[in-house]
């Protein structure tokens, strides 16, 4: 299964979710997992790849998206988990792809075809924007997991993301489906409770039953360049992501 993890707004916990699902399935459930970082911020890459700073762009997904080369797969710091790292140069990818004459939406999918059978699960950490990189991720995926945090503007942004999803389904990938809407960074506030209520009213059965709490251990894990299962497997954050893995994949 290939899952794109997406949001239109930054700071929702999309990358933490990508790392936690990939590392959890690889470490706790012994699945063979690939994480593709297609976000130019490269946060997943920096957490999971100790030698990331020594890589040049030809060793990252930049070479696939821009030059249509095979995916450069690296072993991550977690067992059973490989990663295709990102690069800051991807921030200019939309300019490059806008003028491309090939099937620019399918560059990632084309290269994934060669290696996808080697993995039980493949996750794509999308950028917090709806340009050609996200369209590449959606075109390559079987499912999309949409990460949402509490707040009016955060909920409102889902509408535009769903429009992009619908366009990809119509023109590029008719088999694409929503895996779920994940409510993240939940806390005991009125804003959080009302946001979750509105999300469930709008998307009903598509909202994940598992709610990810706002948890300091999840922040600490990223800061220490570890998955939550390495840093603090007994934390509320780790327990929530383990529950989400069981809900969606096991």
């Amino acid at each position: 299964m290939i899952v794109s993890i997406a949001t239109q707004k930054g700071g929702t916990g999309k990358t933490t979710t990508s790392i936690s699902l990939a590392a959890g399935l690889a470490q706790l459930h012994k699945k063979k997992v690939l994480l593709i970082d297609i976000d130019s911020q490269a946060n997943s890459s920096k957490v999971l790849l100790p030698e990331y700073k020594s890589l040049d762009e030809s060793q990252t997904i930049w070479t696939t998206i821009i030059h249509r080369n095979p995916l450069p797969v690296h072993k991550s710091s977690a067992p059973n988990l490989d990663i295709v790292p990102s690069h800051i140069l991807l921030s200019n990818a939309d300019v490059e792809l806008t003028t491309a004459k090939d099937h620019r939406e399918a560059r990632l999918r084309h290269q994934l075809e060669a290696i996808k059978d080697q993995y039980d699960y493949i996750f794509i950490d999308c950028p917090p924007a709806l340009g050609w990189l996200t369209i590449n991720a959606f075109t390559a995926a079987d499912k999309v997991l949409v990460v949402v945090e509490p707040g009016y503007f955060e909920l409102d942004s889902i509408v535009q993301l769903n429009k992009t999803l619908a366009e990809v389904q119509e023109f590029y990938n008719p088999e694409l489906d929503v895996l779920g809407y994940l409510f993240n960074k939940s806390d005991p506030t009125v804003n959080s409770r009302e946001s979750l209520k509105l999300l469930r009213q709008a998307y009903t059965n598509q909202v994940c039953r598992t709610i990810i709490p706002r948890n300091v251990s999840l922040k600490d894990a990223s800061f220490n360049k570890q998955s939550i299962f390495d840093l603090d497997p007994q934390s509320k954050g780790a327990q929530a992501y383990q529950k989400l893995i069981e809900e969606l994949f096991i």
Side-chain angles (χ1 to χ4, degrees):
M1 182 190 295
I2 303 173
V3 180
S4 284
I5 300 178
T7 182
Q8 194 188 348
K9 289 182 68 66
T12 62
K14 168 190 61 67
T15 292
T16 297
T17 296
S18 301
I19 293 170
S20 299
L21 292 179
L25 281 162
Q27 293 176 243
L28 305 180
H29 297 279
K30 311 305 180 188
K31 302 297 183 181
K32 185 65 176 172
V33 182
L34 175 65
L35 176 58
I36 298 173
D37 187 357
I38 201 169
D39 184 347
S40 64
Q41 297 175 88
N43 290 333
S44 290
S45 307
K46 293 168 187 173
V47 169
L48 291 173
L49 206 54
E51 69 273 22
Y52 177 74
K53 287 185 177 180
S54 67
L55 302 182
D56 62 39
E57 63 269 19
S58 68
Q59 297 169 290
T60 73
I61 197 165
W62 179 87
T63 193
T64 300
I65 297 297
I66 302 303
H67 294 301
R68 290 173 280 180
N69 290 328
L71 286 161
V73 178
H74 300 255
K75 294 289 183 186
S76 81
S77 56
N80 301 317
L81 175 57
D82 291 344
I83 183 167
V84 176
S86 187
H87 196 278
I88 188 63
L89 286 179
L90 274 186
S91 57
N92 292 321
D94 270 5
V95 176
E96 298 266 359
L97 294 175
T98 297
T99 57
K101 303 265 191 284
D102 64 317
H103 287 288
R104 55 194 169 187
E105 80 286 345
R107 290 187 179 186
L108 175 57
R109 180 170 69 183
H110 178 71
Q111 297 300 336
L112 255 182
E113 289 292 328
I115 64 170
K116 67 180 185 180
D117 291 342
Q118 300 173 27
Y119 297 95
D120 298 307
Y121 294 97
I122 297 171
F123 294 98
I124 307 172
D125 183 5
C126 298
L130 299 177
W132 282 109
L133 292 176
T134 296
I135 290 171
N136 260 266
F138 286 2
T139 301
D142 302 310
K143 305 281 185 182
V144 176
L145 180 64
V146 182
V147 182
V148 189
E149 69 170 324
Y152 172 81
F153 295 112
E154 285 74 9
L155 294 176
D156 195 48
S157 71
I158 300 174
V159 176
Q160 187 58 48
L161 189 148
N162 284 338
K163 287 180 182 177
T164 300
L165 242 169
E167 290 173 0
V168 171
Q169 288 169 324
E170 181 178 359
F171 297 113
Y172 306 133
N173 185 3
E175 304 301 317
L176 183 65
D177 199 8
V178 174
L179 180 61
Y181 295 89
L182 174 65
F183 194 67
N184 196 20
K185 297 189 176 181
S186 177
D187 53 33
T189 62
V190 172
N191 177 47
S192 192
R193 288 195 301 271
E194 288 300 311
S195 296
L196 180 56
K197 180 181 177 181
L198 289 170
L199 186 66
R200 284 174 168 160
Q201 286 174 350
Y203 301 103
T204 320
N205 297 328
Q206 290 182 299
V207 179
C208 298
R209 295 189 305 274
T210 303
I211 306 299
I212 307 298
R214 192 178 295 275
N215 180 241
V216 68
S217 293
L218 291 169
K219 271 193 170 183
D220 290 344
S222 295
F223 184 79
N224 287 284
K225 297 185 178 180
Q226 293 178 292
S227 80
I228 188 62
F229 302 108
D230 287 321
L231 181 84
D232 189 356
Q234 302 306 315
S235 66
K236 289 183 179 180
Q239 291 174 12
Y241 276 113
Q242 170 63 3
K243 186 177 176 184
L244 182 65
I245 287 169
E246 292 169 357
E247 176 184 344
L248 296 180
F249 303 111
I250 302 301

